Amino acid sequence: MPHDSLLLWKALQGIICVYKPAEISVKSLRKKLITKLCKDLSELDVKLRHPNPKLTALPVSSDPHTNSIVETESSENALEDISSSAISSGISHIDLRYHPLVVGPRYLDEDLTVSWSNFLGWNTSGVLLFGLRSGTQYAKFIRENRSTRAYRVTGSFGKATDNGFKTGKVVEKSTWKYINQNHIQQILSAMQASHQKKVFEISGVDIHSQTAYELAAKGPIRPVNSEVPIIYNLKCLDYEGPGFTIEVQCINENENYLTTLIHDIGIRLHSTAHTTAIKCIRHSCFTLEHALLPKHWNLQNITKNMDMCSKLLRDNESVINQTSAVLN
Amino acid sequence: MYRFRFIFRKIEIKYIRNASSAVEGNVSCTNTSTELVDNQQNALTKADTSKRIDLTAISKILRPGAVSSMYVNKSDILQQLLKLGVELYKLEKDPEGMKFILTLKFEDIKDTIIFLKELGVETQQIGYIITKNPLLLKESLDDLKVRINYLQYKKFTPEMITRIIENNPVWLTHSTKEIDDRLGFFQKTFSLTANNVRALATQCPRLITYQMDKVKLNLFVLKEEMGFNDVEIKKILLNKPNLFKNSQVRLLKTFEYLHNTMKIPLETIVREPEVLSCREKRLKERHSFLAKLGRDQYDPKQPNYVALTTLIKEDDVVFSTEVAKSSVQTFNNFLKSI
């Protein structure tokens, strides 16, 4: 079988797990990925087809019916010596149609379809899943299965901003010195309890029924639709000075919801708070460990990452193929 | 229009795929083009029934390389340009340019190319120049000679002229008056000496033919928003002319981070203006890493001084081991933690 970049192109379908830095949109990250992959593939294609850099033209297939064979005449101009000698001297029958300088890159950006399975906002960093080519289907399944995600959100007490994030304009200031970690933990536990109560109310089953009992016996369950954000676990990791970090295990959330959550925490503690950073540390079975930094994006690393992701998905089938409302 | 474009892409991809699988590569040129033309006519339901349609007109909606790969085996001029290393698929982006080139004969452009060669331009560079600016071939040889004469008259040495032409493909399409105006603008605005102007034009020839509004905007940003004085701006211009081609938003963001967060005084920035060309993101990553290690010391008079140029220039491996005295793994983990 001839070496061809097409083999690699065909193999390049599946889910990859990348790291999204803050202050860049998912859209531009996707574009960056596509550009990088297509460029690498096209370069590889040229390298495989024309291993000898001097001999850039491809000899034509030995088909007598081809009427497009061109005999390049040795030109008698001043450029003869300076032009790439391979074209004029080495081979006489050359089909120039496939010359890399004529056809250009083999893989164009629009050939590679990529879609994301979780959307992270502009200010959020962390684990992001992309589906490449036929992997976009899996990306869709993962997205529609609404798997749980874990976030590490840092906030700061004392100031409230107009957009809830540190970049916004300060609209309110307050005291925060009286707050201690126990206060925060109390509030968080109360919030978590109310969410767990709410999930049964909107689960679609009568709370007094046998079904509801059986579901509850199995553990936490998923909400019935993708509209309502539900928090399963809230934990204060550390608190020093005005800054604090909480870990949120949740479903159906978005960036706005998390900033509002921090704002609410501030208000419940009789103070004000704004978010300083949001990081997605886990998406279903994918963690930060699996995520590939943008600077490491190249063909080799991405295929490796894809392998690892498909293995992970095989081990955790429920991510793609979900059978019950019970959270796992 | 978008839908038509989509249809074309599909058809085109199919044909190029067929053609490029070299085994059955004898899908003949003419065949492909007539099929394409047929499809185009169906899609647009054109009244024109003649099968001969100028493909250059629709090159924008075809896959790059489609037009040139259809013509290259028949056209002498394209083959000659190919020998020079011109990237034909890039020429197609401009339908007018491609149309013009296909009407040319090699004899027409031979003199121009020999002229460039005599100026000392490398062959690969001639290909690059034509790729970037195919309309250069439209200019008459006398005009080109006048433009070079102007540079010689302004005491540019032959090496300087070669460098200017190699680095700025569009220089020669600008008339002498335009170039004179531009050079005059730089001399007057930044109060440069004649030697300075020559050095500037040689160091960054593209800046001379760059959009003047953007240069003026960057000048405003440096002067009014960042607060550099005229002498300092002149130093920055001569040291790092490329800065004036950056977008003003990026320039200001970098400056704000340097000056407000890293506490770098203006004098240091003037001394090492390349820090302004660094992206804010890169600066942020590296500075916060050093800050975490307690190594963010940018004052040359104190121990453990980190030079700003080494901070931004080196790649991640060298930076994390040499500058931060840590390991790449640590740096990567750190990048995932912010």
Side-chain angles (χ1 to χ4, degrees):
Chain A
M1 201 163 188
H3 288 290
D4 197 347
S5 60
L6 208 59
L7 285 175
L8 194 55
W9 170 256
K10 278 179 184 161
L12 205 65
Q13 28 198 334
I15 294 280
I16 61 166
C17 175
V18 298
Y19 182 81
K20 175 194 173 296
E23 293 176 7
I24 184 171
S25 67
V26 176
K27 213 174 161 188
S28 55
L29 210 64
R30 168 182 176 271
K31 202 168 175 221
K32 204 173 155 189
L33 175 78
I34 293 178
T35 320
K36 176 73 182 143
L37 275 179
C38 288
K39 194 174 149 237
D40 277 9
L41 274 167
S42 302
E43 269 171 18
L44 182 78
D45 187 56
V46 172
K47 228 187 262 175
L48 288 176
R49 279 160 187 274
H50 315 283
N52 186 353
K54 274 230 137 186
L55 197 75
T56 35
L58 198 77
V60 81
S61 53
S62 55
D63 194 327
H65 304 299
T66 316
N67 48 8
S68 53
I69 298 175
V70 169
E71 211 160 314
T72 346
E73 60 276 75
S74 51
S75 42
E76 306 92 342
N77 54 55
L79 300 163
E80 197 186 12
D81 52 329
I82 52 173
S83 59
S84 57
S85 55
I87 296 180
S88 50
S89 63
I91 314 153
S92 54
H93 294 281
I94 292 169
D95 190 352
L96 291 171
R97 275 182 301 160
Y98 312 128
H99 194 289
L101 291 182
V102 177
V103 290
R106 184 169 182 187
Y107 302 98
L108 295 188
D109 287 5
E110 55 257 49
D111 296 345
L112 185 64
T113 46
V114 173
S115 71
W116 52 78
S117 57
N118 58 329
F119 188 84
L120 300 178
W122 169 266
N123 291 313
T124 315
S125 60
V127 182
L128 181 66
L129 298 183
F130 275 132
L132 304 188
R133 303 192 59 224
S134 71
T136 50
Q137 214 179 359
Y138 293 115
K140 181 173 170 265
F141 291 152
I142 295 175
R143 187 168 60 233
E144 288 179 350
N145 276 337
R146 294 178 279 123
S147 37
T148 55
R149 284 170 288 232
Y151 286 85
R152 201 160 282 174
V153 190
T154 51
S156 182
F157 288 119
K159 281 176 196 164
T161 58
D162 55 354
N163 61 0
F165 209 75
K166 64 177 173 187
T167 47
K169 212 167 94 182
V170 178
V171 288
E172 201 182 330
K173 282 186 180 180
S174 62
T175 51
W176 52 269
K177 289 254 161 106
Y178 57 87
I179 300 171
N180 66 30
Q181 196 161 353
N182 278 344
H183 286 142
I184 304 176
Q185 194 53 54
Q186 267 174 24
I187 297 288
L188 295 183
S189 306
M191 278 181 160
Q192 188 188 326
S194 73
H195 270 271
Q196 270 159 17
K197 203 175 152 203
K198 196 171 85 183
V199 71
F200 270 97
E201 282 167 16
I202 57 163
S203 65
V205 288
D206 181 9
I207 197 126
H208 300 298
S209 66
Q210 177 69 18
T211 336
Y213 170 74
E214 276 165 14
L215 270 178
K218 281 181 189 163
I221 58 167
R222 290 167 201 279
V224 74
N225 62 16
S226 61
E227 306 292 310
V228 198
I230 296 289
I231 292 170
Y232 291 99
N233 196 0
L234 264 175
K235 199 159 59 177
C236 181
L237 292 181
D238 76 323
Y239 170 66
E240 44 183 278
F244 63 100
T245 309
I246 58 170
E247 198 176 288
V248 192
Q249 312 271 351
C250 51
I251 211 164
N252 295 339
E253 82 303 325
N254 55 32
E255 190 181 284
N256 219 348
Y257 179 74
L258 292 172
T259 40
T260 321
L261 181 75
I262 294 290
H263 183 78
D264 281 352
I265 292 172
I267 287 176
R268 289 227 198 163
L269 287 165
H270 308 293
S271 175
T272 46
H274 66 272
T275 319
T276 49
I278 303 174
K279 188 164 62 164
C280 178
I281 54 169
R282 180 182 66 81
H283 177 282
S284 56
C285 53
F286 299 93
T287 59
L288 275 181
E289 248 173 69
H290 307 118
L292 200 59
L293 280 171
K295 67 169 183 173
H296 291 142
W297 288 353
N298 58 31
L299 267 183
Q300 203 185 357
N301 285 341
I302 283 178
T303 38
K304 246 188 223 165
N305 190 282
M306 197 177 275
D307 262 6
M308 187 199 62
C309 287
S310 59
K311 210 174 279 169
L312 259 178
L313 285 177
R314 240 176 286 136
D315 295 345
N316 301 279
E317 219 175 278
S318 62
V319 178
I320 285 180
N321 195 4
Q322 193 174 296
T323 47
S324 92
V326 177
L327 205 67
N328 35 22
Chain B
M1 194 56 216
Y2 180 76
R3 254 183 80 190
F4 289 137
R5 183 169 289 208
F6 185 69
I7 294 167
F8 285 134
R9 290 280 183 205
K10 283 272 165 167
I11 298 163
E12 194 49 43
I13 288 167
K14 212 172 99 197
Y15 276 104
I16 295 285
R17 287 276 152 74
N18 283 344
S20 56
S21 55
V23 195
E24 40 187 32
N26 45 5
V27 180
S28 80
C29 240
T30 44
N31 222 342
T32 319
S33 56
T34 41
E35 285 267 357
L36 257 176
V37 170
D38 273 343
N39 277 314
Q40 190 228 12
Q41 281 179 336
N42 289 342
L44 300 174
T45 54
K46 269 198 172 180
D48 182 21
T49 45
S50 73
K51 296 249 167 179
R52 291 188 144 273
I53 276 189
D54 187 9
L55 276 174
T56 52
I58 54 164
S59 69
K60 265 200 172 165
I61 51 176
L62 292 177
R63 205 180 160 86
V67 177
S68 43
S69 57
M70 275 164 204
Y71 287 111
V72 70
N73 277 344
K74 299 169 194 163
S75 151
D76 179 52
I77 179 81
L78 288 187
Q79 287 170 21
Q80 298 293 351
L81 288 178
L82 189 60
K83 282 185 196 172
L84 284 170
V86 177
E87 289 165 286
L88 296 181
Y89 68 96
K90 281 189 184 165
L91 287 188
E92 276 177 37
K93 277 183 198 159
D94 175 17
E96 289 304 309
M98 193 62 177
K99 214 178 208 170
F100 160 70
I101 284 197
L102 282 172
T103 56
L104 284 177
K105 289 221 164 45
F106 184 63
E107 301 305 314
D108 305 337
I109 61 163
K110 204 164 124 187
D111 291 337
T112 313
I113 291 168
I114 293 172
F115 176 67
L116 286 176
K117 190 73 194 158
E118 275 168 1
L119 283 173
V121 182
E122 293 287 318
T123 318
Q124 287 91 352
Q125 282 298 321
I126 294 180
Y128 167 76
I129 290 170
I130 297 176
T131 308
K132 288 283 168 196
N133 184 18
L135 296 179
L136 179 68
L137 302 175
K138 227 176 195 170
E139 304 287 332
S140 78
L141 195 58
D142 295 333
D143 281 351
L144 297 185
K145 277 181 182 158
V146 168
R147 284 162 202 175
I148 295 294
N149 274 342
Y150 167 77
L151 287 179
Q152 283 163 348
Y153 172 69
K154 291 286 177 191
K155 290 183 188 153
F156 280 86
T157 63
E159 292 81 46
M160 283 174 166
I161 296 176
T162 318
R163 196 187 134 78
I164 287 173
I165 291 164
E166 278 185 355
N167 279 284
N168 186 353
V170 296
W171 183 290
L172 282 178
T173 41
H174 285 78
S175 71
T176 318
K177 191 179 175 305
E178 265 176 283
I179 295 284
D180 192 54
D181 284 351
R182 297 287 175 93
L183 290 177
F185 166 78
F186 278 100
Q187 183 159 30
K188 226 161 115 191
T189 330
F190 298 95
S191 51
L192 304 176
T193 63
N195 268 336
N196 284 344
V197 174
R198 278 190 285 270
L200 175 70
T202 321
Q203 199 186 343
C204 188
R206 280 178 214 202
L207 183 64
I208 308 295
T209 55
Y210 202 68
Q211 294 107 302
M212 282 300 120
D213 323 353
K214 289 196 176 167
V215 177
K216 280 176 191 164
L217 202 60
N218 278 341
L219 177 64
F220 177 82
V221 169
L222 281 170
K223 200 170 181 176
E224 308 294 335
E225 295 191 278
M226 300 186 191
F228 290 106
N229 64 33
D230 289 345
V231 185
E232 287 168 335
I233 291 175
K234 185 178 163 186
K235 261 188 197 165
I236 292 175
L237 176 78
L238 293 175
N239 218 333
K240 194 77 190 163
N242 265 330
L243 277 183
F244 283 81
K245 287 183 353 194
N246 283 358
S247 101
Q248 88 275 14
V249 179
R250 178 181 153 176
L251 212 56
L252 200 60
K253 268 189 183 166
T254 308
F255 175 79
E256 272 175 0
Y257 193 79
L258 271 173
H259 195 61
N260 298 339
T261 315
M262 290 168 71
K263 308 282 177 210
I264 309 280
L266 292 185
E267 298 80 57
T268 321
I269 299 178
V270 175
R271 213 165 44 234
E272 295 168 290
E274 46 273 72
V275 285
L276 278 180
S277 66
C278 181
R279 276 197 195 135
E280 189 208 7
K281 190 168 154 276
R282 187 180 167 94
L283 217 51
K284 212 183 227 171
E285 283 170 7
R286 297 193 164 191
H287 169 70
S288 45
F289 185 57
L290 287 182
K292 197 162 193 188
L293 296 174
R295 288 190 167 273
D296 53 334
Q297 207 290 93
Y298 307 111
D299 187 357
K301 285 172 193 150
Q302 283 170 21
N304 283 336
Y305 155 64
V306 173
L308 286 175
T309 31
T310 50
L311 177 74
I312 56 159
K313 260 192 183 159
E314 306 297 347
D315 61 359
D316 282 352
V317 180
V318 181
F319 166 73
S320 48
T321 51
E322 308 273 311
V323 181
K325 311 268 188 263
S326 176
S327 68
V328 195
Q329 197 54 47
T330 323
F331 184 55
N332 288 346
N333 286 340
F334 174 75
L335 286 182
K336 278 189 188 177
S337 76
I338 49 172

